[in-house]
Amino acid sequence: MTPTSHHQEGAGGVERVGVVGCGLMGSGIAELSALAGYDVRVAVSSRSTPAAGRSRVAASLDRAVRAERIGAAERDEALGRISFTSDLLDLADRQLVIECIAEDKDAKVELFALLDKTVEDPEAILASNTSSLPITTMASATGRPEQVLGLHFFSPAQRMPLVEVISSLHTAESALARAEEFVTVGLGKQAIPSTDRTGFVVNALLVPYLLAAVRMVESGFASAETIDRGMTLGCSHPMGPLKLADLIGLDVVRSVADALYDEFKETLYAPPPLLTRMVESGFLGKKTGRGFYRYG
């Protein structure tokens, strides 16, 4: 867990952070930012969601206290820094807004157009946590494309040390520098730069590897257990590719694969039929209790 000591007042010129969406990634980024000392406001899609969002963050902070990563006082202070709203207009005063809604291009474009009208500070950074969609498309929906960039956190955001900082052809150097300072000085994370290419750095390498493992299972060449043991014991990976795919979510793996294939038209990016059938059957991995393995 990122301790509060990382936060420097106004790192990257940011003190007030907005997060749109409170699923796994949104709640994780909100928690991380609050623990680092930021004033965080989370916008959710419906009036019933704020309570669910708050309880998700509280449960995660409680786990961190039990694991002795933070103290009870830190937990209480962090919760006190997070507010929830179902009205996007409540993000008007934010200096950085991070979008964490579903990987749906049309929905994201619509949201960025709304954020452009809502966020008052023309220097505010509008960031997307997308794992695969073009930043340029979202930037073009705004009147301030130079202030739009990608901040791709990895799950769980509270624990994983990396953030990809993605620039489009429009992004201003000053916005990039401020975003990187927020990530490194403010949140205490490691940042790597990426240009605006589908999959960015990590997923462009990771997803073909995961798909190759799925194809091995599909062809009957090897079982999921055999493949995963091979990679953990033979390559010192902390987790095999199929267990990792289950953890990420097979729907997410397929959506990134689809985006990569759409952009590059290379066979290694094409989702194998087995992956598509599993997603269509609702076997999405750990979050649904069944993927390449069974859970719970």
Side-chain angles (χ1 to χ4, degrees):
M1 188 63 68
T2 308
T4 51
S5 58
H6 279 136
H7 178 50
Q8 292 196 3
E9 195 67 29
V14 175
E15 288 169 5
R16 297 183 299 279
V17 175
V19 177
V20 184
C22 201
L24 192 63
M25 293 307 297
S27 62
I29 292 167
E31 177 185 331
L32 174 68
S33 303
L35 276 168
Y38 290 96
D39 170 335
V40 182
R41 186 161 298 144
V42 183
V44 293
S45 56
S46 69
R47 290 208 178 93
S48 60
T49 328
R54 180 171 286 282
S55 61
R56 177 178 276 143
V57 173
S60 175
L61 286 165
D62 286 342
R63 284 194 296 276
V65 172
R66 285 197 298 276
E68 299 182 350
R69 290 192 296 269
I70 61 171
E74 267 185 284
R75 172 197 61 201
D76 296 344
E77 285 168 15
L79 268 177
R81 291 190 194 104
I82 304 179
S83 56
F84 291 81
T85 179
S86 56
D87 188 347
L88 213 56
L89 292 172
D90 290 331
L91 301 183
D93 69 339
R94 302 289 104 175
Q95 296 152 313
L96 165 66
V97 177
I98 305 172
E99 167 275 310
C100 299
I101 66 171
E103 284 286 90
D104 176 322
K105 185 164 78 172
D106 294 340
K108 286 184 190 285
V109 166
E110 187 182 339
L111 176 60
F112 272 81
L114 288 169
L115 288 173
D116 184 40
K117 295 183 178 75
T118 302
V119 179
E120 290 167 356
D121 181 357
E123 296 297 304
I125 294 169
L126 305 181
S128 175
N129 181 53
T130 180
S131 52
S132 62
L133 297 171
I135 302 301
T136 303
T137 309
M138 292 172 254
S140 301
T142 74
R144 53 175 113 182
E146 67 286 349
Q147 297 302 118
V148 179
L149 46 81
L151 289 179
H152 180 216
F153 291 75
F154 291 78
S155 183
Q158 306 92 311
R159 307 287 300 284
M160 294 292 273
L162 183 71
V163 180
E164 289 178 311
V165 180
I166 302 125
S167 55
S168 83
L169 294 173
H170 298 291
T171 310
E173 286 295 331
S174 58
L176 266 183
R178 286 166 56 219
E180 188 167 327
E181 188 184 332
F182 167 77
V183 166
T184 56
V185 179
L187 300 181
K189 297 286 189 187
Q190 302 283 328
I192 57 170
S194 175
T195 54
D196 189 19
R197 204 185 87 150
T198 298
F200 314 128
V201 175
V202 173
N203 279 329
L205 290 167
L206 175 65
V207 171
Y209 161 66
L210 300 181
L211 299 179
V214 176
R215 288 189 194 101
M216 273 190 167
V217 174
E218 184 175 60
S219 69
F221 177 78
S223 69
E225 292 82 359
T226 297
I227 293 164
D228 283 354
R229 284 184 69 210
M231 295 310 291
T232 53
L233 301 177
C235 294
S236 291
H237 287 199
M239 186 182 291
L242 296 158
K243 195 155 269 186
L244 178 57
D246 274 358
L247 183 64
I248 293 167
L250 301 186
D251 53 335
V252 176
V253 173
R254 191 186 70 164
S255 101
V256 179
D258 282 336
L260 284 162
Y261 186 71
D262 284 348
E263 176 132 321
F264 299 108
K265 299 294 186 285
E266 289 186 28
T267 315
L268 80 165
Y269 295 128
L274 175 61
L275 180 63
T276 300
R277 295 296 170 273
M278 290 176 76
V279 172
E280 287 169 348
S281 302
F283 302 155
L284 307 184
K286 194 169 185 184
K287 63 188 170 188
T288 59
R290 184 173 171 190
F292 287 97
Y293 295 87
R294 290 179 183 270
Y295 301 88

